Amino acid sequence: MRSPDPTEEELDALALLESRIGHLHVRQRLGLERDYEAHVFRRGTHFFHIENWYSIHGLIRGGLKLVGLHRRGQRNAHAIQVRQNEVRLTDLPAAFDGYTVLQLSDLHFGMSSGFLGSLLEMLAPLRYDLCVVTGDYRALTFGPWEAAVDDLRRLRPHLSGPVYAILGNHDTIRMVPAMEDSGYRLLLNEWVRLSHDGETVYLAGIDDAHFYRLENYHRAAHDIPQNAVSILLSHTPEAYRHAAHAGFDLMLCGHTHGGQICLPGGIPILTDADSPRAMAKGSWRWHDMAGYTSAGAGTSIVDVRLNCPPEVTLHRLRRA
């Protein structure tokens, strides 16, 4: 189903967003989304991004049923784990030593019934200072998005403290006003100061660098002081080169699902990301920048996980 045309109320909300991120960004995002939907619904076309190649989804599901792994994979998809990641950063202000960031990624609401309940159960006992959400909120890459925002609205009271988020390749910029009304602060090639006991760390977020390619490091980082510790939110690890040379100390991302359906030992078959396979899941480093790719909490294409548990991640910052 195609997305309906924006209402007058939506257009007014996007006009307010233009004052923050510029009319060109909003215009490009909306235009690319419309072009993409027109392409999806034109017969005889396909994309090289596997989540956009809808004819293959049924084949994967049928193959898993044939070999008896579909039900097991569905159970695995609800067994969300809490990952702990300690990040040592040079020049981290003393007040931030032990500061904890909860990362949620690739929620894909609508893929699996009962998923939100499983997620809330896992989140309930966690303690952290800040929450970040690194994109992909709806199941499909096109069509209605209101149901995903409704689930985000239900999730928000269960997240403590401020919550910053970015868009992924499954998301539309039309979600932004409703998400921000629900208590999420979107970072669209923008940055904010994180203050703690009188000291500061900077947090930036870029727009999707995988499909829409609207990331802008100049806008996201130009005004961050050169020697300050800074963290970047990127939906995909594909931004690693530019992020490292832009001077970020830590990049948090998702998108790959860690492979989602992996060989024994957690070896991903596909990652759908133009980055080294070592960056498909977990912690990694590129030059002076630390990185972490979440395997994600949700599922895409099929509601199944094999040899790759879903996760939420607690990143604990430490002075090097």
Side-chain angles (χ1 to χ4, degrees), residues 61 64 69-77 111 260-261 298-306 308:
R61 190 177 294 107
L64 291 170
L69 291 175
H70 188 251
R71 289 289 180 87
R72 182 194 300 179
Q74 287 181 314
R75 291 193 298 269
N76 292 346
M111 276 296 302
Q260 187 172 313
I261 297 176
T299 56
S300 184
I301 303 176
V302 290
D303 59 340
V304 164
R305 280 186 177 266
L306 293 171
C308 184

Side-chain angles (χ1 to χ4, degrees), residues 259-270:
Q260 187 172 313
I261 297 176
C262 294
L263 300 175
I267 302 170
I269 300 170
L270 294 173

Side-chain angles (χ1 to χ4, degrees), residues 21 26 39 101-102 109 123 151 193 214 237 274:
I21 67 173
V26 175
H39 193 72
V101 179
L102 169 67
F109 290 116
L123 292 175
D151 279 344
R193 293 182 183 88
L214 285 174
D274 184 18

